[in-house]
Amino acid sequence: MPSPVSRRSFLGHAAAGSLGIAFTGSLEAISGPPAFAAARPAAGYGPLVADPAGVLSLPAGFSYRVVAQAGVTLLESGEPTPSDPDGTASFPHGRGATLVNNHEIGGSEPYRVPALPGLTYDPGAGGGTTNIDVDARGERIREYVSLAGTHNNCAGGKTPWSTWLTCEETEQRAGGAFQKDHGYVFEVDPFDREANQDPVPLKFLGRYSHEAVAVDPDTSAIYLTEDAGGPNGLYYRWTPPRKFRGGKGALRALALSEGGDTAGKLEAMSCYQDDKHIADLSEATAPGTRFKVRWVEVPDPDAKTTSIRKQFTDDQITRSRKLEGAWWGDGGAYFVASYARHTDGSVNEHDGQVWFYDPRSETVTLKVLFGVNPDPAQDKDFDGPDNITVSPYGGVILAEDGEGIQHLVGVTDRGRSYQLARNELNDSEFAGPTFSADGSILFACIQSPGYVFAITGPWKSRDKDGD
């Protein structure tokens, strides 16, 4: 059974000759006509100021506070904050917010999510989620377990009814320490602790290496990314049953209903340009490229004998290496392809794509393209975008999970990229960017050694008048 492959481990085995330059730093506007940039124009909030504490460098006028730190801060049950914070969402609560924070724990990490009674799916698995209550300044009030006993909780997505869908990035079968199969999506309520009792896998969303989801607020359709290789992963859509109405508890009730394991319809994306089938998203080499989308039903969503991505031939669907973050915004679903190399089966090479799926036109459009970064050790270009959030100030924020120096990367509505933050601790990835409801705080994580930050400062529009 293949396990998720990190970009670092993969590129560590790639041939040096595969790292040729292609459209380095090129971008297209999030909205508007395509535009290439030979060099990144001035944008964002100005140059980063070195952090005296050697943790997180930010532009002048910005500051951060540590909300949680793995192994240092404590859960209300007395155990230390779990390792490897990843996908995160913020939900307004009173005068502050509640964060739901994934923990991408695969087994070797020092601090597991405690397997508390009633909140644990499989005692053999160490991942899950914690909820963190913060005040209006982002100051930590408390942290507590909301889901335990899940495996490798990577990213996920917010629902329109104010819950969090947390994704297991694995295809782990029961056996050994694991008492149950894994590779599912679970729903977490940020406020109602009773709603999180006796966790229920949403099997109708498929069993595979889930990365992230985006939910259509009008139809409750769910769009999902898969981070897998050998062969590369797929982009999925789940369409609910005709009489389904999204809301708190509705997905759980559907999963527990008769026939709930296969409720609705799970389909994989297949792209076309005119009559030409697109076998891999890396075929797109120009920002603004648009493909027509058709959907192909998944034969066996629970992958009882064969991984879902292996249930299709290459002429039936469209694959992509390292499908990562997802976020609903601007009437559609943004999703990220982190990188592509010839040696992983991709047609062309790049160091990041951001796509936008429009459900009205049934198309996907390449919005952002990062060419192969020639020297990730230099604090110049970006590579390996992972988690994504749509910014209330225009454009998107990307969490970098590449080689060398790691950043939070902003991309304006006009397609200009900029450094928003730099990891001064190490080369660990950023994860989980999400804004507070009022836009005053950007929460984000450094996965190792495990920090959750609240970033504040002079936020302003980064689009037409803000460049």
Side-chain angles (χ1 to χ4, degrees), residues 66-73 81-86 101 103 425-426 428-429 445-453:
V66 175
V67 177
Q69 184 178 351
V72 176
T73 51
T81 293
S83 300
D84 290 7
D86 205 287
N101 186 216
H103 296 277
L425 283 167
N426 52 32
S428 178
E429 67 183 273
C445 311
I446 290 178
Q447 188 172 90
S448 180
Y451 281 91
V452 181
F453 300 106

mmCIF file with all atom_site columns, all heavy atoms in Angstrom, residues 66-73 81-86 101 103 425-426 428-429 445-453:
data_model
loop_
_atom_site.group_PDB
_atom_site.id
_atom_site.type_symbol
_atom_site.label_atom_id
_atom_site.label_alt_id
_atom_site.label_comp_id
_atom_site.label_asym_id
_atom_site.label_entity_id
_atom_site.label_seq_id
_atom_site.pdbx_PDB_ins_code
_atom_site.Cartn_x
_atom_site.Cartn_y
_atom_site.Cartn_z
_atom_site.occupancy
_atom_site.B_iso_or_equiv
_atom_site.pdbx_formal_charge
_atom_site.auth_seq_id
_atom_site.auth_comp_id
_atom_site.auth_asym_id
_atom_site.auth_atom_id
_atom_site.pdbx_PDB_model_num
ATOM 1   N N   . VAL A 1 66  ? 2.267  33.320 19.934 1.00 0.00 ? 66  VAL A N   1
ATOM 2   C CA  . VAL A 1 66  ? 2.163  31.868 19.874 1.00 0.00 ? 66  VAL A CA  1
ATOM 3   C C   . VAL A 1 66  ? 0.865  31.458 20.553 1.00 0.00 ? 66  VAL A C   1
ATOM 4   O O   . VAL A 1 66  ? 0.659  31.707 21.745 1.00 0.00 ? 66  VAL A O   1
ATOM 5   C CB  . VAL A 1 66  ? 3.370  31.191 20.544 1.00 0.00 ? 66  VAL A CB  1
ATOM 6   C CG1 . VAL A 1 66  ? 3.173  29.676 20.576 1.00 0.00 ? 66  VAL A CG1 1
ATOM 7   C CG2 . VAL A 1 66  ? 4.663  31.548 19.804 1.00 0.00 ? 66  VAL A CG2 1
ATOM 8   N N   . VAL A 1 67  ? -0.027 30.837 19.792 1.00 0.00 ? 67  VAL A N   1
ATOM 9   C CA  . VAL A 1 67  ? -1.304 30.373 20.324 1.00 0.00 ? 67  VAL A CA  1
ATOM 10  C C   . VAL A 1 67  ? -1.137 29.004 20.988 1.00 0.00 ? 67  VAL A C   1
ATOM 11  O O   . VAL A 1 67  ? -1.683 28.747 22.060 1.00 0.00 ? 67  VAL A O   1
ATOM 12  C CB  . VAL A 1 67  ? -2.355 30.297 19.201 1.00 0.00 ? 67  VAL A CB  1
ATOM 13  C CG1 . VAL A 1 67  ? -3.676 29.745 19.732 1.00 0.00 ? 67  VAL A CG1 1
ATOM 14  C CG2 . VAL A 1 67  ? -2.570 31.662 18.563 1.00 0.00 ? 67  VAL A CG2 1
ATOM 15  N N   . ALA A 1 68  ? -0.382 28.128 20.337 1.00 0.00 ? 68  ALA A N   1
ATOM 16  C CA  . ALA A 1 68  ? -0.146 26.788 20.880 1.00 0.00 ? 68  ALA A CA  1
ATOM 17  C C   . ALA A 1 68  ? 1.209  26.303 20.392 1.00 0.00 ? 68  ALA A C   1
ATOM 18  O O   . ALA A 1 68  ? 1.673  26.698 19.320 1.00 0.00 ? 68  ALA A O   1
ATOM 19  C CB  . ALA A 1 68  ? -1.242 25.821 20.446 1.00 0.00 ? 68  ALA A CB  1
ATOM 20  N N   . GLN A 1 69  ? 1.839  25.457 21.195 1.00 0.00 ? 69  GLN A N   1
ATOM 21  C CA  . GLN A 1 69  ? 3.138  24.887 20.828 1.00 0.00 ? 69  GLN A CA  1
ATOM 22  C C   . GLN A 1 69  ? 3.170  23.432 21.256 1.00 0.00 ? 69  GLN A C   1
ATOM 23  O O   . GLN A 1 69  ? 2.942  23.109 22.430 1.00 0.00 ? 69  GLN A O   1
ATOM 24  C CB  . GLN A 1 69  ? 4.278  25.661 21.485 1.00 0.00 ? 69  GLN A CB  1
ATOM 25  C CG  . GLN A 1 69  ? 5.658  25.180 21.058 1.00 0.00 ? 69  GLN A CG  1
ATOM 26  C CD  . GLN A 1 69  ? 6.781  25.990 21.671 1.00 0.00 ? 69  GLN A CD  1
ATOM 27  O OE1 . GLN A 1 69  ? 6.531  27.022 22.295 1.00 0.00 ? 69  GLN A OE1 1
ATOM 28  N NE2 . GLN A 1 69  ? 8.010  25.542 21.513 1.00 0.00 ? 69  GLN A NE2 1
ATOM 29  N N   . ALA A 1 70  ? 3.444  22.552 20.313 1.00 0.00 ? 70  ALA A N   1
ATOM 30  C CA  . ALA A 1 70  ? 3.443  21.119 20.591 1.00 0.00 ? 70  ALA A CA  1
ATOM 31  C C   . ALA A 1 70  ? 4.413  20.784 21.712 1.00 0.00 ? 70  ALA A C   1
ATOM 32  O O   . ALA A 1 70  ? 5.563  21.239 21.726 1.00 0.00 ? 70  ALA A O   1
ATOM 33  C CB  . ALA A 1 70  ? 3.818  20.339 19.328 1.00 0.00 ? 70  ALA A CB  1
ATOM 34  N N   . GLY A 1 71  ? 3.930  20.000 22.662 1.00 0.00 ? 71  GLY A N   1
ATOM 35  C CA  . GLY A 1 71  ? 4.760  19.566 23.779 1.00 0.00 ? 71  GLY A CA  1
ATOM 36  C C   . GLY A 1 71  ? 4.987  20.598 24.846 1.00 0.00 ? 71  GLY A C   1
ATOM 37  O O   . GLY A 1 71  ? 5.620  20.297 25.867 1.00 0.00 ? 71  GLY A O   1
ATOM 38  N N   . VAL A 1 72  ? 4.491  21.822 24.673 1.00 0.00 ? 72  VAL A N   1
ATOM 39  C CA  . VAL A 1 72  ? 4.739  22.908 25.626 1.00 0.00 ? 72  VAL A CA  1
ATOM 40  C C   . VAL A 1 72  ? 3.432  23.369 26.264 1.00 0.00 ? 72  VAL A C   1
ATOM 41  O O   . VAL A 1 72  ? 3.277  23.332 27.493 1.00 0.00 ? 72  VAL A O   1
ATOM 42  C CB  . VAL A 1 72  ? 5.461  24.086 24.946 1.00 0.00 ? 72  VAL A CB  1
ATOM 43  C CG1 . VAL A 1 72  ? 5.619  25.251 25.921 1.00 0.00 ? 72  VAL A CG1 1
ATOM 44  C CG2 . VAL A 1 72  ? 6.814  23.639 24.403 1.00 0.00 ? 72  VAL A CG2 1
ATOM 45  N N   . THR A 1 73  ? 2.508  23.866 25.459 1.00 0.00 ? 73  THR A N   1
ATOM 46  C CA  . THR A 1 73  ? 1.205  24.234 25.997 1.00 0.00 ? 73  THR A CA  1
ATOM 47  C C   . THR A 1 73  ? 0.432  22.959 26.351 1.00 0.00 ? 73  THR A C   1
ATOM 48  O O   . THR A 1 73  ? 0.766  21.864 25.885 1.00 0.00 ? 73  THR A O   1
ATOM 49  C CB  . THR A 1 73  ? 0.415  25.087 24.992 1.00 0.00 ? 73  THR A CB  1
ATOM 50  O OG1 . THR A 1 73  ? 0.402  24.420 23.718 1.00 0.00 ? 73  THR A OG1 1
ATOM 51  C CG2 . THR A 1 73  ? 1.067  26.447 24.818 1.00 0.00 ? 73  THR A CG2 1
ATOM 52  N N   . THR A 1 81  ? 0.037  19.757 24.118 1.00 0.00 ? 81  THR A N   1
ATOM 53  C CA  . THR A 1 81  ? -0.479 19.986 22.768 1.00 0.00 ? 81  THR A CA  1
ATOM 54  C C   . THR A 1 81  ? 0.145  18.979 21.805 1.00 0.00 ? 81  THR A C   1
ATOM 55  O O   . THR A 1 81  ? 1.359  18.792 21.803 1.00 0.00 ? 81  THR A O   1
ATOM 56  C CB  . THR A 1 81  ? -0.151 21.414 22.311 1.00 0.00 ? 81  THR A CB  1
ATOM 57  O OG1 . THR A 1 81  ? -0.895 22.337 23.113 1.00 0.00 ? 81  THR A OG1 1
ATOM 58  C CG2 . THR A 1 81  ? -0.497 21.629 20.851 1.00 0.00 ? 81  THR A CG2 1
ATOM 59  N N   . PRO A 1 82  ? -0.664 18.303 20.983 1.00 0.00 ? 82  PRO A N   1
ATOM 60  C CA  . PRO A 1 82  ? -0.126 17.286 20.075 1.00 0.00 ? 82  PRO A CA  1
ATOM 61  C C   . PRO A 1 82  ? 0.797  17.865 19.003 1.00 0.00 ? 82  PRO A C   1
ATOM 62  O O   . PRO A 1 82  ? 0.789  19.067 18.715 1.00 0.00 ? 82  PRO A O   1
ATOM 63  C CB  . PRO A 1 82  ? -1.385 16.675 19.448 1.00 0.00 ? 82  PRO A CB  1
ATOM 64  C CG  . PRO A 1 82  ? -2.496 17.021 20.382 1.00 0.00 ? 82  PRO A CG  1
ATOM 65  C CD  . PRO A 1 82  ? -2.123 18.344 20.972 1.00 0.00 ? 82  PRO A CD  1
ATOM 66  N N   . SER A 1 83  ? 1.564  16.981 18.411 1.00 0.00 ? 83  SER A N   1
ATOM 67  C CA  . SER A 1 83  ? 2.532  17.332 17.369 1.00 0.00 ? 83  SER A CA  1
ATOM 68  C C   . SER A 1 83  ? 1.842  17.680 16.044 1.00 0.00 ? 83  SER A C   1
ATOM 69  O O   . SER A 1 83  ? 0.657  17.431 15.843 1.00 0.00 ? 83  SER A O   1
ATOM 70  C CB  . SER A 1 83  ? 3.490  16.163 17.126 1.00 0.00 ? 83  SER A CB  1
ATOM 71  O OG  . SER A 1 83  ? 4.203  15.817 18.278 1.00 0.00 ? 83  SER A OG  1
ATOM 72  N N   . ASP A 1 84  ? 2.634  18.260 15.161 1.00 0.00 ? 84  ASP A N   1
ATOM 73  C CA  . ASP A 1 84  ? 2.337  18.419 13.730 1.00 0.00 ? 84  ASP A CA  1
ATOM 74  C C   . ASP A 1 84  ? 0.995  19.090 13.429 1.00 0.00 ? 84  ASP A C   1
ATOM 75  O O   . ASP A 1 84  ? 0.122  18.508 12.775 1.00 0.00 ? 84  ASP A O   1
ATOM 76  C CB  . ASP A 1 84  ? 2.394  17.062 13.031 1.00 0.00 ? 84  ASP A CB  1
ATOM 77  C CG  . ASP A 1 84  ? 3.811  16.528 12.934 1.00 0.00 ? 84  ASP A CG  1
ATOM 78  O OD1 . ASP A 1 84  ? 4.709  17.146 13.512 1.00 0.00 ? 84  ASP A OD1 1
ATOM 79  O OD2 . ASP A 1 84  ? 4.009  15.495 12.273 1.00 0.00 ? 84  ASP A OD2 1
ATOM 80  N N   . PRO A 1 85  ? 0.795  20.336 13.863 1.00 0.00 ? 85  PRO A N   1
ATOM 81  C CA  . PRO A 1 85  ? -0.412 21.054 13.462 1.00 0.00 ? 85  PRO A CA  1
ATOM 82  C C   . PRO A 1 85  ? -0.427 21.263 11.952 1.00 0.00 ? 85  PRO A C   1
ATOM 83  O O   . PRO A 1 85  ? 0.601  21.531 11.340 1.00 0.00 ? 85  PRO A O   1
ATOM 84  C CB  . PRO A 1 85  ? -0.297 22.381 14.214 1.00 0.00 ? 85  PRO A CB  1
ATOM 85  C CG  . PRO A 1 85  ? 1.183  22.569 14.409 1.00 0.00 ? 85  PRO A CG  1
ATOM 86  C CD  . PRO A 1 85  ? 1.720  21.188 14.627 1.00 0.00 ? 85  PRO A CD  1
ATOM 87  N N   . ASP A 1 86  ? -1.596 21.136 11.357 1.00 0.00 ? 86  ASP A N   1
ATOM 88  C CA  . ASP A 1 86  ? -1.701 21.271 9.904  1.00 0.00 ? 86  ASP A CA  1
ATOM 89  C C   . ASP A 1 86  ? -2.940 22.088 9.562  1.00 0.00 ? 86  ASP A C   1
ATOM 90  O O   . ASP A 1 86  ? -3.096 23.195 10.047 1.00 0.00 ? 86  ASP A O   1
ATOM 91  C CB  . ASP A 1 86  ? -1.699 19.884 9.241  1.00 0.00 ? 86  ASP A CB  1
ATOM 92  C CG  . ASP A 1 86  ? -1.209 19.936 7.794  1.00 0.00 ? 86  ASP A CG  1
ATOM 93  O OD1 . ASP A 1 86  ? -1.968 20.427 6.932  1.00 0.00 ? 86  ASP A OD1 1
ATOM 94  O OD2 . ASP A 1 86  ? -0.079 19.495 7.522  1.00 0.00 ? 86  ASP A OD2 1
ATOM 95  N N   . ASN A 1 101 ? -7.955 22.559 14.783 1.00 0.00 ? 101 ASN A N   1
ATOM 96  C CA  . ASN A 1 101 ? -6.573 22.380 14.337 1.00 0.00 ? 101 ASN A CA  1
ATOM 97  C C   . ASN A 1 101 ? -6.286 20.894 14.108 1.00 0.00 ? 101 ASN A C   1
ATOM 98  O O   . ASN A 1 101 ? -6.366 20.088 15.036 1.00 0.00 ? 101 ASN A O   1
ATOM 99  C CB  . ASN A 1 101 ? -5.648 22.953 15.409 1.00 0.00 ? 101 ASN A CB  1
ATOM 100 C CG  . ASN A 1 101 ? -4.191 22.965 15.018 1.00 0.00 ? 101 ASN A CG  1
ATOM 101 O OD1 . ASN A 1 101 ? -3.332 22.754 15.865 1.00 0.00 ? 101 ASN A OD1 1
ATOM 102 N ND2 . ASN A 1 101 ? -3.882 23.226 13.768 1.00 0.00 ? 101 ASN A ND2 1
ATOM 103 N N   . HIS A 1 103 ? -3.983 17.555 13.339 1.00 0.00 ? 103 HIS A N   1
ATOM 104 C CA  . HIS A 1 103 ? -2.657 17.071 13.738 1.00 0.00 ? 103 HIS A CA  1
ATOM 105 C C   . HIS A 1 103 ? -2.297 15.898 12.814 1.00 0.00 ? 103 HIS A C   1
ATOM 106 O O   . HIS A 1 103 ? -2.902 14.829 12.895 1.00 0.00 ? 103 HIS A O   1
ATOM 107 C CB  . HIS A 1 103 ? -2.643 16.659 15.203 1.00 0.00 ? 103 HIS A CB  1
ATOM 108 C CG  . HIS A 1 103 ? -2.908 17.813 16.121 1.00 0.00 ? 103 HIS A CG  1
ATOM 109 N ND1 . HIS A 1 103 ? -1.918 18.688 16.511 1.00 0.00 ? 103 HIS A ND1 1
ATOM 110 C CD2 . HIS A 1 103 ? -4.060 18.264 16.678 1.00 0.00 ? 103 HIS A CD2 1
ATOM 111 C CE1 . HIS A 1 103 ? -2.447 19.619 17.291 1.00 0.00 ? 103 HIS A CE1 1
ATOM 112 N NE2 . HIS A 1 103 ? -3.739 19.383 17.400 1.00 0.00 ? 103 HIS A NE2 1
ATOM 113 N N   . LEU A 1 425 ? 12.950 29.374 11.966 1.00 0.00 ? 425 LEU A N   1
ATOM 114 C CA  . LEU A 1 425 ? 13.362 28.270 12.829 1.00 0.00 ? 425 LEU A CA  1
ATOM 115 C C   . LEU A 1 425 ? 14.122 27.188 12.088 1.00 0.00 ? 425 LEU A C   1
ATOM 116 O O   . LEU A 1 425 ? 15.160 26.696 12.536 1.00 0.00 ? 425 LEU A O   1
ATOM 117 C CB  . LEU A 1 425 ? 12.115 27.636 13.464 1.00 0.00 ? 425 LEU A CB  1
ATOM 118 C CG  . LEU A 1 425 ? 11.451 28.363 14.614 1.00 0.00 ? 425 LEU A CG  1
ATOM 119 C CD1 . LEU A 1 425 ? 10.081 27.759 14.885 1.00 0.00 ? 425 LEU A CD1 1
ATOM 120 C CD2 . LEU A 1 425 ? 12.322 28.280 15.863 1.00 0.00 ? 425 LEU A CD2 1
ATOM 121 N N   . ASN A 1 426 ? 13.559 26.787 10.920 1.00 0.00 ? 426 ASN A N   1
ATOM 122 C CA  . ASN A 1 426 ? 14.054 25.615 10.211 1.00 0.00 ? 426 ASN A CA  1
ATOM 123 C C   . ASN A 1 426 ? 13.440 25.605 8.817  1.00 0.00 ? 426 ASN A C   1
ATOM 124 O O   . ASN A 1 426 ? 12.918 26.634 8.362  1.00 0.00 ? 426 ASN A O   1
ATOM 125 C CB  . ASN A 1 426 ? 13.695 24.333 10.983 1.00 0.00 ? 426 ASN A CB  1
ATOM 126 C CG  . ASN A 1 426 ? 12.215 24.257 11.337 1.00 0.00 ? 426 ASN A CG  1
ATOM 127 O OD1 . ASN A 1 426 ? 11.355 24.751 10.606 1.00 0.00 ? 426 ASN A OD1 1
ATOM 128 N ND2 . ASN A 1 426 ? 11.900 23.643 12.465 1.00 0.00 ? 426 ASN A ND2 1
ATOM 129 N N   . SER A 1 428 ? 10.875 23.587 7.986  1.00 0.00 ? 428 SER A N   1
ATOM 130 C CA  . SER A 1 428 ? 9.577  22.934 8.078  1.00 0.00 ? 428 SER A CA  1
ATOM 131 C C   . SER A 1 428 ? 8.512  23.750 7.362  1.00 0.00 ? 428 SER A C   1
ATOM 132 O O   . SER A 1 428 ? 8.586  24.980 7.285  1.00 0.00 ? 428 SER A O   1
ATOM 133 C CB  . SER A 1 428 ? 9.173  22.743 9.544  1.00 0.00 ? 428 SER A CB  1
ATOM 134 O OG  . SER A 1 428 ? 7.895  22.149 9.649  1.00 0.00 ? 428 SER A OG  1
ATOM 135 N N   . GLU A 1 429 ? 7.499  23.062 6.882  1.00 0.00 ? 429 GLU A N   1
ATOM 136 C CA  . GLU A 1 429 ? 6.436  23.697 6.119  1.00 0.00 ? 429 GLU A CA  1
ATOM 137 C C   . GLU A 1 429 ? 5.550  24.589 6.965  1.00 0.00 ? 429 GLU A C   1
ATOM 138 O O   . GLU A 1 429 ? 5.377  24.386 8.169  1.00 0.00 ? 429 GLU A O   1
ATOM 139 C CB  . GLU A 1 429 ? 5.558  22.630 5.464  1.00 0.00 ? 429 GLU A CB  1
ATOM 140 C CG  . GLU A 1 429 ? 4.748  21.794 6.464  1.00 0.00 ? 429 GLU A CG  1
ATOM 141 C CD  . GLU A 1 429 ? 3.945  20.710 5.809  1.00 0.00 ? 429 GLU A CD  1
ATOM 142 O OE1 . GLU A 1 429 ? 2.807  20.985 5.388  1.00 0.00 ? 429 GLU A OE1 1
ATOM 143 O OE2 . GLU A 1 429 ? 4.454  19.577 5.723  1.00 0.00 ? 429 GLU A OE2 1
ATOM 144 N N   . CYS A 1 445 ? 0.320  27.928 10.942 1.00 0.00 ? 445 CYS A N   1
ATOM 145 C CA  . CYS A 1 445 ? 1.133  26.975 11.693 1.00 0.00 ? 445 CYS A CA  1
ATOM 146 C C   . CYS A 1 445 ? 2.488  26.772 11.024 1.00 0.00 ? 445 CYS A C   1
ATOM 147 O O   . CYS A 1 445 ? 2.609  26.880 9.797  1.00 0.00 ? 445 CYS A O   1
ATOM 148 C CB  . CYS A 1 445 ? 0.441  25.611 11.770 1.00 0.00 ? 445 CYS A CB  1
ATOM 149 S SG  . CYS A 1 445 ? -1.283 25.652 12.286 1.00 0.00 ? 445 CYS A SG  1
ATOM 150 N N   . ILE A 1 446 ? 3.492  26.457 11.817 1.00 0.00 ? 446 ILE A N   1
ATOM 151 C CA  . ILE A 1 446 ? 4.717  25.797 11.357 1.00 0.00 ? 446 ILE A CA  1
ATOM 152 C C   . ILE A 1 446 ? 4.637  24.381 11.897 1.00 0.00 ? 446 ILE A C   1
ATOM 153 O O   . ILE A 1 446 ? 4.539  24.172 13.117 1.00 0.00 ? 446 ILE A O   1
ATOM 154 C CB  . ILE A 1 446 ? 5.984  26.510 11.840 1.00 0.00 ? 446 ILE A CB  1
ATOM 155 C CG1 . ILE A 1 446 ? 6.137  27.861 11.128 1.00 0.00 ? 446 ILE A CG1 1
ATOM 156 C CG2 . ILE A 1 446 ? 7.216  25.649 11.588 1.00 0.00 ? 446 ILE A CG2 1
ATOM 157 C CD1 . ILE A 1 446 ? 7.339  28.670 11.589 1.00 0.00 ? 446 ILE A CD1 1
ATOM 158 N N   . GLN A 1 447 ? 4.660  23.404 10.995 1.00 0.00 ? 447 GLN A N   1
ATOM 159 C CA  . GLN A 1 447 ? 4.325  22.046 11.419 1.00 0.00 ? 447 GLN A CA  1
ATOM 160 C C   . GLN A 1 447 ? 5.310  21.468 12.429 1.00 0.00 ? 447 GLN A C   1
ATOM 161 O O   . GLN A 1 447 ? 4.918  20.805 13.381 1.00 0.00 ? 447 GLN A O   1
ATOM 162 C CB  . GLN A 1 447 ? 4.203  21.121 10.209 1.00 0.00 ? 447 GLN A CB  1
ATOM 163 C CG  . GLN A 1 447 ? 3.657  19.757 10.587 1.00 0.00 ? 447 GLN A CG  1
ATOM 164 C CD  . GLN A 1 447 ? 3.334  18.892 9.396  1.00 0.00 ? 447 GLN A CD  1
ATOM 165 O OE1 . GLN A 1 447 ? 4.179  18.146 8.923  1.00 0.00 ? 447 GLN A OE1 1
ATOM 166 N NE2 . GLN A 1 447 ? 2.106  18.989 8.913  1.00 0.00 ? 447 GLN A NE2 1
ATOM 167 N N   . SER A 1 448 ? 6.584  21.670 12.224 1.00 0.00 ? 448 SER A N   1
ATOM 168 C CA  . SER A 1 448 ? 7.577  21.127 13.153 1.00 0.00 ? 448 SER A CA  1
ATOM 169 C C   . SER A 1 448 ? 8.549  22.244 13.559 1.00 0.00 ? 448 SER A C   1
ATOM 170 O O   . SER A 1 448 ? 9.044  22.974 12.695 1.00 0.00 ? 448 SER A O   1
ATOM 171 C CB  . SER A 1 448 ? 8.357  19.986 12.494 1.00 0.00 ? 448 SER A CB  1
ATOM 172 O OG  . SER A 1 448 ? 9.312  19.444 13.373 1.00 0.00 ? 448 SER A OG  1
ATOM 173 N N   . PRO A 1 449 ? 8.754  22.440 14.846 1.00 0.00 ? 449 PRO A N   1
ATOM 174 C CA  . PRO A 1 449 ? 8.389  21.584 15.975 1.00 0.00 ? 449 PRO A CA  1
ATOM 175 C C   . PRO A 1 449 ? 6.955  21.711 16.450 1.00 0.00 ? 449 PRO A C   1
ATOM 176 O O   . PRO A 1 449 ? 6.600  21.109 17.458 1.00 0.00 ? 449 PRO A O   1
ATOM 177 C CB  . PRO A 1 449 ? 9.362  22.035 17.054 1.00 0.00 ? 449 PRO A CB  1
ATOM 178 C CG  . PRO A 1 449 ? 9.600  23.473 16.765 1.00 0.00 ? 449 PRO A CG  1
ATOM 179 C CD  . PRO A 1 449 ? 9.613  23.571 15.263 1.00 0.00 ? 449 PRO A CD  1
ATOM 180 N N   . GLY A 1 450 ? 6.112  22.488 15.740 1.00 0.00 ? 450 GLY A N   1
ATOM 181 C CA  . GLY A 1 450 ? 4.704  22.514 16.071 1.00 0.00 ? 450 GLY A CA  1
ATOM 182 C C   . GLY A 1 450 ? 4.228  23.794 16.711 1.00 0.00 ? 450 GLY A C   1
ATOM 183 O O   . GLY A 1 450 ? 4.022  23.851 17.927 1.00 0.00 ? 450 GLY A O   1
ATOM 184 N N   . TYR A 1 451 ? 4.069  24.849 15.899 1.00 0.00 ? 451 TYR A N   1
ATOM 185 C CA  . TYR A 1 451 ? 3.588  26.133 16.390 1.00 0.00 ? 451 TYR A CA  1
ATOM 186 C C   . TYR A 1 451 ? 2.262  26.489 15.716 1.00 0.00 ? 451 TYR A C   1
ATOM 187 O O   . TYR A 1 451 ? 2.090  26.250 14.513 1.00 0.00 ? 451 TYR A O   1
ATOM 188 C CB  . TYR A 1 451 ? 4.569  27.260 16.062 1.00 0.00 ? 451 TYR A CB  1
ATOM 189 C CG  . TYR A 1 451 ? 5.771  27.358 16.960 1.00 0.00 ? 451 TYR A CG  1
ATOM 190 C CD1 . TYR A 1 451 ? 6.950  26.690 16.646 1.00 0.00 ? 451 TYR A CD1 1
ATOM 191 C CD2 . TYR A 1 451 ? 5.753  28.146 18.108 1.00 0.00 ? 451 TYR A CD2 1
ATOM 192 C CE1 . TYR A 1 451 ? 8.073  26.796 17.456 1.00 0.00 ? 451 TYR A CE1 1
ATOM 193 C CE2 . TYR A 1 451 ? 6.861  28.263 18.925 1.00 0.00 ? 451 TYR A CE2 1
ATOM 194 C CZ  . TYR A 1 451 ? 8.024  27.588 18.591 1.00 0.00 ? 451 TYR A CZ  1
ATOM 195 O OH  . TYR A 1 451 ? 9.134  27.692 19.398 1.00 0.00 ? 451 TYR A OH  1
ATOM 196 N N   . VAL A 1 452 ? 1.348  27.109 16.476 1.00 0.00 ? 452 VAL A N   1
ATOM 197 C CA  . VAL A 1 452 ? 0.181  27.790 15.927 1.00 0.00 ? 452 VAL A CA  1
ATOM 198 C C   . VAL A 1 452 ? 0.326  29.263 16.280 1.00 0.00 ? 452 VAL A C   1
ATOM 199 O O   . VAL A 1 452 ? 0.521  29.606 17.449 1.00 0.00 ? 452 VAL A O   1
ATOM 200 C CB  . VAL A 1 452 ? -1.139 27.236 16.498 1.00 0.00 ? 452 VAL A CB  1
ATOM 201 C CG1 . VAL A 1 452 ? -2.330 27.967 15.887 1.00 0.00 ? 452 VAL A CG1 1
ATOM 202 C CG2 . VAL A 1 452 ? -1.249 25.731 16.257 1.00 0.00 ? 452 VAL A CG2 1
ATOM 203 N N   . PHE A 1 453 ? 0.258  30.132 15.263 1.00 0.00 ? 453 PHE A N   1
ATOM 204 C CA  . PHE A 1 453 ? 0.477  31.570 15.451 1.00 0.00 ? 453 PHE A CA  1
ATOM 205 C C   . PHE A 1 453 ? -0.807 32.349 15.191 1.00 0.00 ? 453 PHE A C   1
ATOM 206 O O   . PHE A 1 453 ? -1.656 31.949 14.383 1.00 0.00 ? 453 PHE A O   1
ATOM 207 C CB  . PHE A 1 453 ? 1.526  32.101 14.469 1.00 0.00 ? 453 PHE A CB  1
ATOM 208 C CG  . PHE A 1 453 ? 2.878  31.462 14.584 1.00 0.00 ? 453 PHE A CG  1
ATOM 209 C CD1 . PHE A 1 453 ? 3.311  30.555 13.626 1.00 0.00 ? 453 PHE A CD1 1
ATOM 210 C CD2 . PHE A 1 453 ? 3.732  31.759 15.630 1.00 0.00 ? 453 PHE A CD2 1
ATOM 211 C CE1 . PHE A 1 453 ? 4.562  29.970 13.698 1.00 0.00 ? 453 PHE A CE1 1
ATOM 212 C CE2 . PHE A 1 453 ? 4.980  31.180 15.728 1.00 0.00 ? 453 PHE A CE2 1
ATOM 213 C CZ  . PHE A 1 453 ? 5.398  30.284 14.757 1.00 0.00 ? 453 PHE A CZ  1
#
